[in-house]
Amino acid sequence: MKEPNKTSQRHTKPLLVIAGQFQNGKSTFLNCLLGGNYAIEGEGTLATTKCNAKYVYGDFSEIRTIQSDKSASRRQDAAFFSRGASCCDAQCGMTLQISAYSPVLQTMDLLDSPGFAANAKDDTAADEALRMADFVVLVARKTLDNKSDINFLQNITEKGKHFTVIFNCYHSDRPDSAKSRKTCSEIFAQLKNAKLDSNYIQLAEDFPVYPVNLLWAQCALGYLTEDEVTGKLEAVKHYLKKENLTPAVLLDASNFLPVRDRLQNIVGTFFNYTPHTALNLLQNVADSWSGELIDIFKNKETSNV
Amino acid sequence: MKSSEMALRNSDLAERFNKALEKLEQDKEMMEKIRDRNLWEMIFSNNTRDLARAGISQTEAISELNAVVQDMMKLLQQCGENTASVMEELHDCMARQSDVNSDFRRKIISLAMEVLSLSVRVKNSEDKVADQSARETSRALTDRICREIDELKRRNRPPQDTFIGICRALKQHISRNRNYLNDFCKSRICSTVADAGFPPLTAEDINSWQKELAELFCPILSEIKTRATGKWDNFLRSGVLICGEVAMADAVKGILDAVADSEGDKYAEFRDELTETIGDFIASGKDVDGQYVPALKRIRKKLFENQFEIVLISEFQGGKSTTLDMLCEGREISPRGSGNIKTSAAIISVQNIYGDETQDGLEEWAEITWLDRNTIRKQICEVLESYDDPKRRLLSDDRVCTKDQNIEKLLKKAWAWNQKRPCSNTDRLDLLRVATLQYRLLKEKKLDEYLNKKIVPVDEFQSFVKFPDEWGPRWTNGFDAKFKFEEILFSIVDRVLVRIHSAALARLGCRITDCPGLFVCRWDTEKSIGAMEDADAVWYLLGAKELGKKDQEALSIIADNDLVDKCFFTVNRKDVPAQGAIQTLEADRASLQSWGFGNVQIRIYDAFKAFRAAQIESSFKGGLFERDVQCLATEIAILDANADPKRLTVEFAQNMKKCRKAIKDLVVAQAYASKEPSLASKLQSADDFSNELIAQLKSSSGIDDLLNAMEDFIVTKRAKSILVDAGSKKFLQTLTKYQNSLLDDERAAKKNYDRAEEEAKDAQNRFDQFQKEWKDTFHFLHAKSLDAGLVQDFFDMYGNGIRDTMQNRAIDICSKVWDETSFWDSSSFADWETEKKIKSEFLTLIKAKLKDYRKDLKNNPKFKSEILDPYESGVARMKQHWEQLQSENSILGDISIDDVDFEDEFHFDSFNDSLTGKIDTPWFSTNWLKAIFTLKDVKTRIREFFTKKDPIGAAYDKFCNDQKTREQFAACLGSVRLHCIKTLEKSLSDMSKSVKENIELLGQRAKKSNAGLTEIAAASNETRKTVIEPLIEKLEDFQRRVERQYYERTE
């Protein structure tokens, strides 16, 4: 049977790269975006994602391994698939291409990069991911540090790429709590002081850096097994002091949906079928670029409502 | 009871023991019943069978009892430490069996004791003493003590006196040789005491002697109190609990155990030894310049202060402050962050207060070390240095004097620079921010008020050591960022030492220091690195995440500071499940090993849980401190938007239970996060904290294990750090420095003499060379051919003139003689007369001519070209050469070339008589006669004779060519040349003499000045050989002993 050639189509789709220090919740964020348990999530301790894993739209699940010399091989066994990106830790330098059926992938490809600052090998993979990226989402768990985060973002800015930062709150914290807001504005100040705001895209006006509670989102989105959810849900119930917790309430509290929609909008509107180099033109259009962008989203949202 | 397992086994044994005893009693009763049967009963019973049954049953009971006793013995053997608890069980058990024969009870107890002491003896004798000399010393020591014990036995005093006597003997012999008190020694002393059969001591006795014992073993006891070791308590309790009295041997064993176990005292002994050595050295006055005394005194001070400092290091938000606060019994000493933003801005150390020390009337206090104005200025200028214009410099050279307006100008310039450019170096910005704040403070008049505030209450310093809220966002205005005065005081705080009462700190017995987090910004990182450099050990808090690049960098700093073997690694697992943390641990251990940290132990604990557990315990004891309650309320308010922190504070302060509930909520949230649902639900369902719950929380936090490990770590490292690294090593370094300086002195002294010698040699060489060179140059003067040339020149010049003059003069003379004398008189006379006259005239003439020649010698071209010019130019060059030599070597400095000009030598007075010679005239008589017979006019004939025959010419030629004449002439003319040679030689020899004199003088001078130096060299040498070298050896031995004491133990 002749395989459908999707290459050309794939190339025209924008690539959203999820980056951040190891164990900040990149894979969790990706799974939340995809709505399925695709990437292996760590326990917050060891670096789990060992090589770049690219997620593309496909009607059926499939994994391709693309070696550094561009040769591709196809595998489709469930065991391999379920182990996802961590299975190929022995072969760094290659990229996994995972096809999945997820609405988010219709407008963009996603790339889960290994966390940086764990070891040198992982950083190479993260750099490689950055090279391919159209838009970067940095997942942070606390204020940025000069050593790795700021360096990484400077690298992004130098390459002319645009990025946003998402703050993954502590398990028990509400994204809209004063504490989270404080951290977000601190992170934003760091970006500004490091002169990184030129390429920074603010996802919402009221949050300079967007806070989400990925644990809550994860529980609410329903892609985890029942066992996994029960354990986590107990804790969440305690945090939220609510006994009757519906997924809708939890999802709302997690602040995740807006970020998903906005990312889809941004990437869909501005990067879809647009070579990323054209962005430089947009960059010059106005200083209040991100503000305008938000206005657009707002209008769009109100019209949707 | 030490462990639950032990308890289980003990109670099990007790149960069995009880049952066996009960059965034994029943059987005894049964047998008694059989024995006392009345006739009726005897008839209707099978007495033999019943008796047999009772007998069998009793035998069984006894064998069971034996088995129990055996088990008990085994247990005793296994855990010698728990003797007291086993005995306690046994005692209880016995007490319940009140009817059992008391003899039997004593027998069982004594049996148990015997087994115990036997097992200890067996165990101890198995312990081999490795060191031969130590073994011998320890044997000698034991012998001495045993002899005194025998002596006490002989005196037969009351038990309490005997005991005190034994204690004194122990104190006397052991205090200085505690290192040699090994297990063998202990068991021998105990068995000697046991064999002596002293009566037992009562608990009251021991209690009443506590004071005296305390005086005897004061350091040991105080150490035991602080370290809460169980040996001493066991010893006291064992006596009281078992039978209200204790055997003398056990009491002595208790003392020996306590002594042997008191590391602190051993430590103190080592320390005293070292400080004494240093003191002796200072007192000996061997330190000539006294320049090493301050260093040595510092070492001694450090040894006495006994201050061991561990610095907590981790990335920001790694749980350092929580850990520190946990050790402060849950008090909010170091400001803890909320989890995402950096908080600690200064170095905070905590230290326990021993006893009832107070400061400025405060029971607990914080000592703040502020940076002084000059240091602040220097720091600001260092930051601004890179912004200064290299040409038009605004910063003054010594930094401190830089004008305020210049600093402000530069600060503004720096901010403008940073605002314009894409900031590639955020580190620079961080430093600039702090410098800006520091400058603002400098301008404030009320700063001095704060700088004088050195001691403040514990609740007041926190605001000085915290980064202001919204640190980053407030800097968007750059130079004009708005901050309150109090908020920015952190920038001029060097460090804070907090002195509080805390059991955990007392247990660790050291100073713990919390630093700002690493790598969040340059300023914090620099502060932490600075603290690390001063620390004795590093407590490295690994995050729950596996080690990354940043850690590698931090650890490399540790390695650079030579702290590799003084690192204590822990993982603060925060909200990570234990399983996850263990996984990380494996990875971390591998990383650490590959980074050169060896096979390290990493402890896992949960700072947050331990901190909260400590708070809960405090809330039960005496309530939380006001500040802690405030912090708790703020923390709750952050999480719950509806809560009002002020109201909460009041509520919590009034009701500790509410306070605990709030803490509980926080802990539950954390327990869920760390995947401990059972603990979480247990806490959730509980109304308040029970002891069990607190224990569970503590065990989940792993704090006890951590503190135990920490304690061991400190005991070992403190010894190494204070005794070896800060003590003996530094002393050694100072000594080595001193030794080197002595060596230098010695060398310098030698060098002075050597240098003088060298200089002299150089001068001599130079002079010799000079002499040779110029002798060679003037060697041409020695050529006699020069004189011959002059003679020839003379004859060439005057020869013809003389010849002509003489010819005319000869004719005149002859004519005159002819006229005056008779022809016949005597021709021979006439001949003679004539000849004599001619000769005389000739000589006069020659002499006159020679005189003329010599007079004009200076203008004589031949003389000039061959002698005068070469000589004069040679002399000029020689003088020049000499001047150069003089400038090169000081010895030649005051020697000048004697006059070698020969102006005066052109007076030839001595010459007149020296010239001799004759003009031979054999021609007179015959020719003379011939002239007569030719009858010509006599005068004509005379003229003809002289012109034709030219006798004068012939005579003159003969005279000229005569070797003797020429030699004479040469000698006459060569006198100038010879004079030159003579003058030169004289001058050179005079110079040579002077050089020699000078060298000798210099030698004498060098010797004279050297005499002092030689003395110094000799003294240095002696000090080195007799004082320093033995001292170094002694110190090396000391180090070895300390290492043996502390390392072999841990290994």
Side-chain angles (χ1 to χ4, degrees), chain B residues 124-273:
Chain B
N124 291 346
S125 58
E126 278 169 2
D127 289 343
K128 288 179 182 169
V129 188
D131 196 337
Q132 181 63 29
S133 68
R135 201 186 303 161
E136 278 167 12
T137 317
S138 115
R139 192 171 294 154
L141 192 77
T142 318
D143 285 346
R144 279 202 293 275
I145 296 170
C146 289
R147 268 201 298 280
E148 290 204 20
I149 292 170
D150 289 341
E151 176 64 25
L152 282 168
K153 188 193 168 193
R154 206 177 49 76
R155 278 191 213 151
N156 198 14
R157 308 272 301 158
Q160 55 267 48
D161 289 359
T162 312
F163 183 56
I164 292 287
I166 295 174
C167 287
R168 287 216 175 97
L170 291 180
K171 161 90 179 158
Q172 188 195 339
H173 295 293
I174 291 171
S175 63
R176 287 223 157 256
N177 304 294
R178 192 162 297 114
N179 294 342
Y180 300 110
L181 184 68
N182 54 31
D183 288 347
F184 171 76
C185 174
K186 279 195 279 178
S187 72
R188 234 193 97 196
I189 294 170
C190 288
S191 60
T192 313
V193 175
D195 292 346
F198 293 117
L201 298 160
T202 61
E204 289 81 39
D205 286 340
I206 292 174
N207 284 334
S208 61
W209 303 327
Q210 282 246 2
K211 202 179 156 211
E212 201 161 347
L213 284 177
E215 273 168 15
L216 266 175
F217 294 96
C218 184
I220 309 171
L221 282 172
S222 67
E223 189 65 23
I224 287 165
K225 265 182 213 154
T226 52
R227 290 192 59 217
T229 186
K231 297 260 167 146
W232 184 259
D233 287 345
N234 271 356
F235 150 65
L236 290 175
R237 215 187 308 132
S238 62
V240 186
L241 287 176
I242 296 173
C243 34
E245 57 184 33
V246 64
M248 188 75 80
D250 289 332
V252 170
K253 186 176 180 298
I255 296 237
L256 285 173
D257 280 350
V259 170
D261 201 46
S262 64
E263 295 299 343
D265 200 33
K266 258 177 210 165
Y267 169 83
E269 212 175 284
F270 275 127
R271 184 198 59 202
D272 291 348
E273 187 186 332

Side-chain angles (χ1 to χ4, degrees), chain A residues 21-24 43-47 50 117-120 123 141-148 150 154 167 170-174 177-179 182-183 185-186 189-190 192-195 231-232 234-235 238-239 241, chain B residues 315-317 338 340-341 418-419 421-424 426-427 429-430 433 469-473 476 519-521 544-550 553 575-577 580 583-584 587 638-639 665 668-670 672-673 675 684:
Chain A
Q21 287 195 29
F22 70 112
Q23 289 308 323
N24 271 2
E43 294 277 9
T45 52
L46 300 168
K50 303 279 184 185
N119 56 54
D123 279 10
R141 282 225 86 160
K142 44 188 179 186
T143 49
L144 308 179
D145 69 63
N146 280 0
K147 268 263 155 329
S148 30
I150 299 282
Q154 270 164 352
F167 170 59
Y170 186 68
H171 295 347
S172 55
D173 290 350
R174 277 178 166 278
S177 69
K179 181 180 163 187
K182 232 184 199 178
T183 313
S185 58
E186 186 71 42
Q190 285 185 308
K192 265 189 128 170
N193 284 322
K195 304 283 184 300
K232 290 182 180 177
E234 271 306 307
H238 173 78
Y239 304 146
K241 301 196 169 42
Chain B
E315 206 188 331
F316 83 104
Q317 292 302 326
S338 57
N340 335 89
I341 307 173
N418 275 304
Q419 231 118 38
R421 281 172 186 69
C423 194
S424 54
T426 36
D427 281 350
L429 189 67
D430 287 325
R433 285 173 176 178
D469 274 350
E470 297 184 41
W471 169 250
T476 39
F519 304 127
V520 60
C521 84
K545 286 179 178 185
E546 67 173 302
L547 287 170
K549 269 187 196 167
K550 284 179 278 184
E553 205 170 319
D575 50 353
V576 166
Q583 270 181 7
T584 322
I638 288 175
L639 291 176
D665 278 354
V668 169
Q670 210 258 354
Y672 274 123
K675 297 203 176 140
Q684 224 168 350

